[in-house]
Amino acid sequence: VVLAMFDGLVDHVIDESDRARLDAVASVAAGPPLANFEDERARELLHDADVLLTHWGAPRIDGAALDRAPSLRLVAHGAGTVRDLVTPAVFERGITVTTAAQANARPVAEYTLAMILLAMKGVPDARERFRGGADHLLLTHTLADVGNARARVGLIGASRVGRLVIELLRPFELDVAVFDPYLGDAGARALGVANVDLDELVSTSRVVSIHAPDLPATRHMIGAPQLARMRDHATLINTARGRLVDHDALERELVSGRLFAVLDVTDPEPLPRSSPLWELPNVYLTPHVAGAEGRELWRLTDLAITEIERFARDEPPLHPVTADELDRIA
Ligand SMILES: NC(=O)c1ccc[n+]([C@@H]2O[C@H](COP(=O)([O-])OP(=O)(O)OC[C@H]3O[C@@H](n4cnc5c(N)ncnc54)[C@H](O)[C@@H]3O)[C@@H](O)[C@H]2O)c1
């Protein structure tokens, strides 16, 4: 097993117990992880590598790297998307690729749940009005169209994150609707959600949360027409990718004060300092922190090591990535 990632990352993602798990099934190349596949040490290590355990900062695995790794059979990625890591040559050579996106989905779903509940309850608005000294705030807020009951949450994408959000929302008295062209009625029934088109989703939901991948088909899927259909004071949550939203159109709606937004990702990212979104009271910006961080990072490598253990025991991978699904996954 050869590690490939930012050197500074190793101590945050692989601890002694992880090392022990790896040592039990494989021999792990000593020394720092590979940050390139070209230098002499890289060539030596690649020559004997059966498995690459990769993470953020791993070099792209192209045909030249593969030529140096004649025995490579598994790329176990300890982070989310493999889009920038693997090239078609990896799949052409029959090398198994696995992703830890499922482990990364959990903190994103937890962040989303927290934001949905706060948004539905009208907390950001109440705080702003309270700070502004609203006299009869208690009564106006109490009687307002707020609260975690009898309302619809609209999720865009029954993705890994989207499905976990559905699970996390189960205990609450909220109606969950999903737009996903790959879901179908039977799929929606199995998840216990309403299968709706995008227009219905944006026009009927108090909170719209985006969980689709960044693909040509999803670019600006939330543009001026979709934003215009959103209900007054509805909240748009984006933890997916900034490009799914037309930010010029979004800025217009947010500056007008008609909508609320929770944006963990933006386009561009970060927003220029001149953007009004930094200061708007109806906008909550976070710096792409919804995914695994700090203590959550261990879960990612834990899953990658599980894939390596399964590979060593000749068991099928839990989360393989295939070439043909790259046009619909993150
Ligand atoms: N903010 C963060 O830190 C963070 C962390 C992890 C993931 N993400 C982002 O969250 C999003 C979801 O990630 P994931 O791993 O759950 O994705 P995923 O790979 O599981 O998503 C694939 C699924 O998306 C759905 N989909 C595909 N095209 C669609 C379309 N046009 N409209 C609606 N749904 C469509 C399909 O069900 C498909 O199976 C991605 O955009 C990802 O980049 C962000």
Side-chain angles (χ1 to χ4, degrees):
V1 174
V2 173
L3 309 188
M5 63 188 77
F6 292 123
D7 191 11
L9 191 60
V10 181
D11 292 342
H12 297 276
V13 297
I14 299 182
D15 66 6
E16 273 175 31
S17 68
D18 296 324
R19 291 268 177 195
R21 282 176 65 196
L22 283 170
D23 289 341
V25 295
S27 106
V28 183
L34 295 184
N36 74 75
F37 289 147
E38 284 95 44
D39 67 20
E40 203 173 322
R41 176 167 173 267
R43 283 168 193 261
E44 245 169 59
L45 293 182
L46 285 179
H47 185 264
D48 296 327
D50 298 299
V51 175
L52 276 177
L53 172 50
T54 57
H55 209 302
W56 298 324
R60 199 167 161 79
I61 308 170
D62 56 14
L66 292 171
D67 287 344
R68 292 174 200 131
S71 332
L72 187 64
R73 285 166 58 212
L74 171 68
V75 176
H77 192 45
T81 181
V82 299
R83 208 168 275 287
D84 297 328
L85 175 71
V86 298
T87 56
V90 175
F91 297 108
E92 280 156 20
R93 295 186 197 203
I95 294 164
T96 301
V97 177
T98 63
T99 170
Q102 189 63 41
N104 204 23
R106 182 167 163 187
V108 183
E110 290 167 352
Y111 171 108
T112 304
L113 173 71
M115 294 301 178
I116 289 172
L117 295 179
L118 285 175
M120 283 281 190
K121 186 76 178 160
V123 171
D125 184 38
R127 176 180 188 260
E128 282 308 312
R129 291 200 289 144
F130 199 25
R131 288 211 297 194
D135 279 349
H136 301 293
L137 181 64
L138 186 60
L139 190 60
T140 56
H141 187 73
T142 301
L143 298 182
D145 184 16
V146 296
N148 284 293
R150 295 193 178 191
R152 171 170 276 188
V153 180
L155 307 178
I156 298 176
S159 57
R160 293 177 171 98
V161 175
R163 284 164 193 264
L164 282 177
V165 174
I166 293 168
E167 282 307 313
L168 293 178
L169 282 171
R170 283 208 202 287
F172 301 96
E173 201 188 304
L174 296 167
D175 163 37
V176 180
V178 176
F179 165 70
D180 184 328
Y182 299 96
L183 183 60
D185 284 333
R189 260 196 308 280
L191 292 174
V193 297
N195 183 29
V196 298
D197 65 26
L198 189 54
D199 278 353
E200 182 179 342
L201 183 126
V202 292
S203 59
T204 58
S205 302
R206 295 291 201 321
V207 174
V208 172
S209 189
I210 309 176
H211 302 295
D214 180 9
L215 304 168
T218 59
R219 184 152 197 268
H220 285 192
M221 68 190 295
I222 299 297
Q226 290 72 29
L227 291 166
R229 281 188 193 99
M230 283 180 68
R231 304 165 65 106
D232 287 348
H233 311 303
T235 300
L236 179 72
I237 301 177
N238 191 6
T239 58
R241 285 291 180 268
R243 271 204 296 239
L244 277 69
V245 179
D246 175 347
H247 273 64
D248 292 337
L250 179 65
E251 184 179 305
R252 285 195 294 276
E253 287 284 5
L254 293 174
V255 167
S256 82
R258 197 180 72 81
L259 298 177
F260 290 83
V262 175
L263 306 173
D264 188 49
V265 292
T266 53
D267 184 22
E269 193 172 314
L271 290 171
R273 275 287 146 195
S274 58
S275 167
L277 271 56
W278 290 105
E279 300 296 337
L280 285 176
N282 48 333
V283 179
Y284 202 95
L285 286 180
T286 56
H288 205 137
V289 295
E293 298 201 286
R295 293 184 299 275
E296 294 157 344
L297 285 174
W298 301 104
R299 287 197 196 119
L300 302 190
T301 359
D302 187 56
L303 188 48
I305 293 172
T306 299
E307 300 283 14
I308 294 172
E309 289 171 335
R310 295 176 68 86
F311 172 79
R313 292 194 298 259
D314 248 341
E315 290 169 6
L318 291 176
H319 302 287
V321 179
T322 56
D324 61 337
E325 56 183 3
L326 282 179
D327 62 354
R328 68 187 145 88
I329 65 166

